[in-house]
């Protein structure tokens, strides 16, 4: 599975932004897609997850109610809609392919097999 993340940029706090994660290759081997982020000087943290079938989504408490994860099955693309971002959302955002529940929880990056290259989001006040 190859993943291509895009859509990052510089925005003002309160603006909206949509990140995309385009998947190619053996996408049927992926159970779902997760978004993680890494802020300057911090470790990578879980942001959101969606099962490929689209029937399950999960969010970190820090983004719940502000971010929405969705997918377009026909395009093999997963989106992260960011509304009302604040300066604490500044980070490099990564999408990754989840191995499945037998590997463990989707909130842990070790349970993801393939990663996109990351896209930088900078939120200014």
């Amino acid at each position: 599975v190859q993943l291509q993340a895009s859509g990052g940029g510089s925005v003002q706090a309160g603006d909206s932004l949509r990140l995309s994660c385009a998947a190619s290759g053996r996408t049927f081997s992926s159970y779902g897609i997760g978004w993680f982020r890494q802020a300057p000087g911090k470790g990578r943290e879980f942001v959101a997850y969606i099962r490929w079938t689209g029937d399950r989504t999960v969010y970190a408490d820090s983004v719940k109610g502000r971010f929405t994860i969705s997918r377009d099955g026909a395009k093999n693309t997963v989106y992260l809609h960011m509304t009302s971002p604040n300066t604490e959302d500044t980070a490099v955002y990564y999408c990754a392919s989840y191995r499945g529940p037998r590997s463990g929880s989707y909130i842990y990056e070790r349970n993801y097999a393939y990663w996109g290259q990351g896209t930088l989001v900078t939120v200014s006040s």
Side-chain angles (χ1 to χ4, degrees):
V1 178
Q2 292 81 45
L3 301 173
Q4 180 74 34
S6 62
S10 296
V11 296
Q12 295 286 321
D15 287 346
S16 296
L17 192 67
R18 188 182 76 169
L19 306 183
S20 299
C21 177
S24 60
R26 296 170 59 90
T27 56
F28 57 85
S29 67
S30 174
Y31 199 83
I33 295 294
W35 282 97
F36 287 75
R37 67 185 181 185
Q38 186 166 19
K42 296 186 177 181
R44 195 149 52 183
E45 65 173 358
F46 171 77
V47 176
Y49 165 80
I50 186 168
R51 192 179 291 172
W52 263 123
T53 53
D55 59 347
R56 179 167 175 78
T57 58
V58 183
Y59 299 91
D61 288 343
S62 59
V63 306
K64 197 174 296 182
R66 300 187 300 118
F67 292 7
T68 302
I69 190 169
S70 63
R71 103 273 188 259
D72 184 330
K75 296 182 179 180
N76 281 341
T77 300
V78 171
Y79 304 99
L80 185 69
H81 302 255
M82 304 171 60
T83 58
S84 300
N86 55 56
T87 55
E88 294 184 351
D89 295 318
T90 294
V92 176
Y93 284 73
Y94 300 89
C95 60
S97 172
Y98 178 50
R99 301 176 194 266
R102 289 187 177 182
S103 68
S105 172
Y106 42 71
I107 69 172
Y108 298 117
E109 59 179 297
R110 65 175 179 265
N111 297 327
Y112 288 77
Y114 304 99
W115 292 79
Q117 81 287 3
T119 185
L120 175 63
V121 174
T122 303
V123 184
S124 57
S125 59

